[in-house]
Amino acid sequence: FERVFTDHFQFIYARGRGRIGISLSKKAIRSAVGRNRVKRLLREYFRTHRCELGDHDIHVIGLASLKED
């Protein structure tokens, strides 16, 4: 597997069946509404770009720097 870090997320890629896993903690985003919105946006991006991402399982982890403004 491979890990990629951005300012707000950590992505873990592994060869698999083209699935996505999303982990967002209260520390990253306090409100449940905010966490669910980020999850919806990530799922939609994954759905629309599935052919570009190939057959990789991707786990997205929200880091503490992902604070709501």
Side-chain angles (χ1 to χ4, degrees):
F1 65 90
E2 178 182 347
R3 292 177 192 248
V4 177
F5 289 89
T6 65
D7 290 340
H8 304 298
F9 294 102
Q10 173 184 353
F11 297 91
I12 301 173
Y13 297 91
R15 208 65 173 133
R17 300 185 313 199
R19 299 174 294 181
I20 187 170
I22 302 170
S23 299
L24 297 173
S25 68
K26 277 188 177 180
K27 190 180 244 185
I29 301 176
R30 292 294 296 168
S31 74
V33 173
R35 285 193 304 276
N36 289 331
R37 176 170 166 71
V38 171
K39 288 179 187 180
R40 278 194 312 271
L41 292 171
L42 287 169
R43 275 192 223 108
E44 179 63 17
Y45 180 85
F46 183 79
R47 186 186 69 78
T48 57
H49 294 84
R50 181 170 291 215
C51 60
E52 296 170 17
L53 298 172
D55 292 334
H56 287 87
D57 289 342
I58 301 172
H59 186 191
V60 182
I61 302 170
L63 301 177
S65 63
L66 182 65
K67 298 281 185 192
E68 293 178 274
D69 292 330

